[in-house]
Amino acid sequence: MKELSIVLIGDFDPTVPAHQGIPLSVDIAAEDLKLKVTATWLGTDKVQDTDLSQFDGIWCVPKTPYVDPEGALRAIRYARENLVPFLGTCGGFQHVVVEYARNVIGWSDAAHGESQPDAKRQVISPLSCALVETTEKINLFAQSQLASIYGSLTIQEGYRCRYGLNTAFREALLQGPLVASADDDTTEIRAVELTIHPFFIATLFQPERAALSDKRSPLIAAFVNACAQNQGL
């Protein structure tokens, strides 16, 4: 059986529903795609000492604040610059925005409001309405990679999140190649993707939660498939 190696960037906590769902969701996708996939947890404080080139895909997972936010940012930058298939969910989404703001836009002071509440340029700030243990309707943008993956313009997904993209910086940040690919009825952004990358998608929602109800996630299947294509399988 073909084998893949995916690294899960985050600080594992067995009590977190998303962390419970991640290995299940990977196993479901692997079985459907007839692949053998090893998903390895890597704490954010271990990224600096790890050779990320050994992995076929990088998934930056929920639960913030991270032990070492800079470690998460380092992994995201590696995936972005080296065209490694990347998925970011919840905290991963938030840190994708920070990494892009700092290293592509050039805002060295770009900050996450949860860990730097006094920062002047909080590109990630409190949501207008917290999304904690809730399932909501999400609008996928036509022509986006995300809409193609789901085969629909409207989906339902679960959340546990209090922070998202600060709308004050939306226009400056999402002119491309990083673009918005989903919002909801509040018009706040719920997903972004990188148009010059084979697979670089980050969502504020947590598609891994579907596995907790024995459901398949089109997004996670697409991510695992992109990892296989990256390895030439």
Side-chain angles (χ1 to χ4, degrees):
M1 184 177 285
K2 300 169 182 177
E3 296 187 21
L4 292 174
S5 180
I6 293 171
V7 63
L8 308 174
I9 305 294
D11 308 305
F12 180 68
D13 183 340
T15 68
V16 173
H19 290 195
Q20 297 166 12
I22 286 169
L24 296 175
S25 65
V26 171
D27 287 346
I28 290 171
E31 182 178 358
D32 288 347
L33 294 167
K34 295 180 171 54
L35 297 167
K36 182 177 180 180
V37 181
T38 299
T40 302
W41 287 92
L42 182 65
T44 55
D45 58 340
K46 305 297 183 185
V47 173
Q48 183 173 2
D49 300 320
T50 302
D51 178 10
L52 296 177
S53 69
Q54 66 185 294
F55 301 106
D56 302 304
I58 296 173
W59 183 347
C60 195
V61 307
K63 189 179 183 297
T64 59
Y66 292 136
V67 171
D68 181 7
E70 295 301 320
L73 296 175
R74 186 175 292 108
I76 292 167
R77 182 172 188 172
Y78 179 87
R80 178 177 59 78
E81 293 183 341
N82 292 279
L83 303 182
V84 177
F86 174 85
L87 179 62
T89 55
C90 197
F93 168 97
Q94 296 160 6
H95 285 74
V96 160
V97 173
V98 174
E99 191 281 324
Y100 188 85
R102 289 184 184 179
N103 299 318
V104 178
I105 302 297
W107 295 343
S108 60
D109 60 343
H112 191 307
E114 183 179 29
S115 54
Q116 295 178 266
D118 297 324
K120 291 183 178 180
R121 203 191 306 256
Q122 294 181 38
V123 294
I124 295 296
S125 61
L127 294 169
S128 59
C129 183
L131 297 164
V132 179
E133 297 303 327
T134 183
T135 298
E136 302 288 338
K137 184 184 79 169
I138 300 159
N139 308 310
L140 307 185
F141 295 172
Q143 311 305 318
S144 69
Q145 188 176 12
L146 200 57
S148 177
I149 288 168
Y150 278 92
S152 175
L153 295 182
T154 305
I155 59 174
Q156 296 272 339
E157 291 284 4
Y159 291 89
R160 183 179 177 83
C161 189
R162 292 183 173 86
Y163 288 82
L165 175 66
N166 186 337
T167 56
F169 298 107
R170 172 177 172 172
E171 184 175 354
L173 284 170
L174 303 182
Q175 295 182 19
L178 188 70
V179 298
S181 53
D183 66 6
D184 61 14
D185 291 344
T186 69
T187 73
E188 291 183 322
I189 298 304
R190 299 297 183 236
V192 295
E193 56 190 54
L194 196 59
T195 59
I196 58 173
H197 194 289
F199 193 101
F200 190 101
I201 295 175
T203 69
L204 201 60
F205 56 87
Q206 299 178 348
E208 56 268 35
R209 284 174 170 259
L212 298 174
S213 302
D214 295 321
K215 296 178 181 177
R216 283 159 168 73
S217 167
L219 178 54
I220 294 170
F223 169 61
V224 172
N225 187 55
C227 295
Q229 292 179 346
N230 182 52
Q231 198 192 68
L233 297 181

